[in-house]
Amino acid sequence: MNTKIKTHDGRNALITGTGQGIGQAIALALAGRGARVVVTDLSLPQDTLNKIGSAAFGLQLDVTKEEDWQSVSLKTQELGGVDIVVNNAGYFPNRPIDELDLATWRRTMATNLDAHFLSAKYFLPTMKKKKWGRFVGISSNMVGLTIPGMSHYITSKMGIIGFMRGLANDVAGYGITANAVLPGLTNTLATASQSDEMKRATWEQQAIKRLGEPEDITGAILFLTSDDASFITGQALVVDGGQYRVG
Ligand SMILES: NC(=O)c1ccc[n+]([C@@H]2O[C@H](COP(=O)([O-])OP(=O)(O)OC[C@H]3O[C@@H](n4cnc5c(N)ncnc54)[C@H](O)[C@@H]3O)[C@@H](O)[C@H]2O)c1
């Protein structure tokens, strides 16, 4: 995102899974727009804290654990509460349906879906008092693709879209919006094991013929969490260079 104005001045934004990849890029982008960012991950995301400097506040948060959400919500009260939540942390092992076990299914749902509900439970009360808030859930364009071995992941990422639709209805009267962002294949450590040929086979299906970088995803999040997007809620925004078309 190249706009320099401080659209997020005075806002506190919590982002999950910021140790690397898309989550780190989102944290840097929000900080660049003037937000104070609460950067969280399974362990303290030190690299991200170093890159952002004094605008960042680091906390450990395993998104599958309710006690972690509760503890983080208490600690962020000292900052004046959280105005923006970006649920980015994800779990996405490839498991063909015959190899998929219940433990993997449950971990996928806990990481990719429970987190959204728990964040709403713990951060809505302050947002309601402030009459302003933003939830963004990082889904995936894979919900519309024909990639095998990802039934659990696709279920969870469709669930994020469903949750944002439902949440949007419940919180609209408080100036709070809830939307999903659906990235396409993005160049992160999570996709590093894919060969260049595999990646090329994906990005050749896009209108914009190159592999997405984490920074390509951030513009949608900056917009949806800004005042400019106050009339946009319950939506799913695809950010994939034009691979998956809806409607
Ligand atoms: N990379 C892609 O091609 C791509 C495409 C579409 C959607 N996505 C989605 O974007 C998000 C980020 O993807 P990425 O490629 O940056 O992933 P990544 O694996 O590079 O980074 C994910 C981060 O989440 C953290 N994390 C994992 N489990 C966690 C938990 N239980 N609690 C807290 N943090 C946890 C990891 O420690 C890591 O820092 C995911 O939700 C993913 O599903 C990624």
Side-chain angles (χ1 to χ4, degrees):
M1 201 55 174
N2 299 316
T3 312
K4 298 281 183 276
I5 43 171
K6 300 289 181 196
T7 44
H8 290 62
D9 246 350
R11 304 287 185 208
N12 293 333
L14 180 139
I15 310 105
T16 67
T18 61
Q20 61 190 45
I22 295 172
Q24 184 180 74
I26 294 169
L28 264 72
L30 283 164
R33 286 293 191 86
R36 180 151 51 164
V37 288
V38 181
V39 294
T40 69
D41 208 303
L42 287 168
S43 58
L44 209 60
Q46 199 53 57
D47 181 47
T48 309
L49 283 166
N50 294 345
K51 282 183 171 147
I52 296 175
S54 59
F57 187 79
L59 288 174
Q60 184 274 335
L61 167 65
D62 179 338
V63 300
T64 66
K65 298 208 164 96
E66 179 164 10
E67 59 271 28
D68 281 14
W69 283 105
Q70 188 171 28
S71 147
V72 164
S73 76
L74 289 174
K75 286 177 184 151
T76 51
Q77 287 302 323
E78 294 159 23
L79 305 174
V82 165
D83 309 296
I84 296 166
V85 174
V86 183
N87 265 300
N88 161 80
Y91 180 62
F92 35 113
N94 189 287
R95 294 280 189 287
I97 193 67
D98 293 338
E99 293 166 27
L100 181 62
D101 56 69
L102 189 57
T104 304
W105 172 271
R106 288 200 166 138
R107 185 169 162 195
T108 307
M109 299 308 152
T111 311
N112 299 356
L113 211 42
D114 291 6
H116 297 261
F117 161 65
L118 290 170
S119 70
K121 178 174 173 185
Y122 285 100
F123 292 111
L124 264 178
T126 310
M127 289 182 189
K128 280 183 169 177
K129 272 190 210 139
K130 292 189 181 183
K131 296 221 170 307
W132 198 95
R134 298 283 183 271
F135 287 94
V136 175
I138 304 301
S139 175
S140 171
N141 81 340
M142 207 186 280
V143 301
L145 305 182
T146 56
I147 297 170
M150 298 303 279
S151 59
H152 49 308
Y153 181 72
I154 291 169
T155 304
S156 69
K157 294 294 183 180
M158 281 301 282
I160 293 170
I161 298 169
F163 183 66
M164 292 301 156
R165 286 183 184 175
L167 180 63
N169 299 337
D170 286 2
V171 300
Y174 299 93
I176 302 168
T177 66
N179 292 288
V181 167
L182 285 62
L185 181 67
T186 309
N187 187 20
T188 68
L189 285 176
T191 55
S193 61
Q194 285 192 27
S195 66
D196 286 346
E197 290 71 31
M198 279 175 77
K199 287 177 186 154
R200 188 185 181 89
T202 299
W203 62 248
E204 278 192 332
Q205 295 168 21
Q206 301 167 188
I208 301 170
K209 303 225 179 283
R210 65 171 174 80
L211 180 61
E213 294 295 333
E215 294 70 26
D216 289 315
I217 313 303
T218 60
I221 291 112
L222 291 176
F223 173 58
L224 290 171
T225 57
S226 73
D227 280 322
D228 293 332
S230 57
F231 201 53
I232 300 173
T233 196
Q235 303 301 317
L237 178 54
V238 183
V239 185
D240 67 354
Q243 181 184 17
Y244 169 50
R245 317 285 173 93
V246 208

